[in-house]
């Protein structure tokens, strides 16, 4: 008896168009109103019913994960490039700023990402783990290069990311950048014998 491989069905053209319209509408609505904007507004903007939205994205986090998929990959590729070179405190600073910009894509997204970190049922959980893994590896390598203070931990840097993302959302990018600069001035290794 021959084994047959089940065929994966490609989505119908109209279903694919609906998905693309939903993602474009969600990007627009979330960009204007935040990550907690009513999903009914997304469906209406896409010109579909709410049932169609839930047929493609059963949860808000599933929709958010789909919206962030390309951005996540870009961020991960950047992290991998940073890990491919000598890592210093400046490298960690660069990563923090990139993650903060990413987490502030939509108002309220930083909180969604922080909540997803500890929720393994979230569609965003795996990408949050990967983001944190890259950050932890960068912190470890910068500490070994003696450019970060010896007591700096990955948890310290993750706390900075969350605080700066919140600051960017509520006080603007300039204030978030200032916060990162001030904190990194304290995190950098210094010659304490002088």
């Amino acid at each position: 008896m021959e084994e047959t491989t089940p065929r994966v069905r490609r989505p119908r053209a109209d279903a694919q168009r609906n998905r693309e319209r939903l993602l474009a509408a969600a990007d627009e609505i979330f960009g204007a109103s935040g990550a907690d904007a009513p999903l009914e507004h997304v469906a209406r903007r896409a010109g579909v019913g709410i049932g169609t939205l839930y047929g493609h994205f059963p949860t808000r986090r599933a929709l958010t994960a789909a919206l962030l998929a390309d951005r996540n990959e870009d961020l991960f590729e950047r992290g991998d490039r940073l890990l491919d070179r000598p890592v210093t405190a400046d490298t960690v600073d660069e990563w923090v700023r990139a993650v903060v910009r990413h987490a502030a894509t939509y108002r309220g997204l930083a909180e969604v990402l922080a909540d997803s970190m500890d929720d393994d049922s979230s569609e965003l959980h795996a990408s949050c783990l990967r983001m944190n893994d890259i950050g932890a590896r960068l912190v470890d390598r910068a500490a070994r290069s003696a450019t970060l203070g010896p007591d700096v931990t990955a948890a310290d840097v993750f706390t900075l990311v969350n605080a700066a993302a919140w600051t960017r959302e509520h006080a603007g990018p300039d204030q978030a950048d200032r916060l990162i600069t001030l904190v990194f001035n304290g995190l950098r290794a210094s010659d304490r014998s002088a």
Side-chain angles (χ1 to χ4, degrees):
M1 182 175 199
E2 265 184 54
E3 282 189 40
T4 59
T5 307
R7 288 179 21 149
V8 177
R9 294 178 72 191
R10 293 182 58 179
R12 294 186 339 237
D14 62 331
Q16 185 60 37
R17 275 191 306 274
N18 284 343
R19 177 182 167 79
E20 290 167 7
R21 289 190 350 228
L22 283 163
L23 288 171
D27 186 49
E28 186 179 332
I29 296 290
F30 286 8
S33 302
D36 62 350
L39 296 182
E40 292 81 7
H41 294 181
V42 173
R44 190 174 318 125
R45 179 67 52 93
V48 300
I50 193 70
T52 299
L53 183 146
Y54 283 119
H56 286 279
F57 308 106
T59 66
R60 178 181 297 276
R61 285 186 178 171
L63 175 59
T64 304
L67 270 177
L68 294 178
D70 290 340
R71 289 180 178 110
N72 283 342
E73 283 309 310
D74 290 345
L75 185 66
F76 301 150
E77 286 173 15
R78 182 176 192 160
D80 290 341
R81 284 192 308 272
L82 292 173
L83 285 163
D84 282 344
R85 66 185 204 205
V87 176
T88 66
D90 289 339
T91 314
V92 179
D93 183 315
E94 183 179 338
W95 174 250
V96 165
R97 290 175 194 276
V99 173
V100 168
R101 281 190 302 275
H102 177 74
T105 301
Y106 307 115
R107 191 177 67 250
L109 179 59
E111 183 178 351
V112 172
L113 294 173
D115 291 345
S116 295
M117 182 64 199
D118 296 323
D119 181 359
D120 61 1
S121 68
S122 170
E123 294 84 350
L124 296 163
H125 181 70
S127 60
C128 290
L129 288 178
R130 187 163 176 201
M131 238 180 286
N132 278 9
D133 177 63
I134 291 168
R137 289 165 56 201
L138 289 168
V139 168
D140 179 62
R141 289 189 44 203
R144 284 190 272 138
S145 76
T147 59
L148 279 180
D151 55 346
V152 176
T153 67
D156 297 330
V157 173
F158 301 148
T159 300
L160 171 59
V161 166
N162 290 332
W166 185 92
T167 300
R168 186 179 176 102
E169 182 179 312
H170 295 281
D174 291 343
Q175 191 61 41
D177 285 343
R178 178 173 163 71
L179 173 64
I180 294 168
T181 298
L182 290 170
V183 171
F184 258 92
N185 286 342
L187 295 178
R188 291 178 196 282
S190 63
D191 183 2
R192 289 175 172 49
S193 63

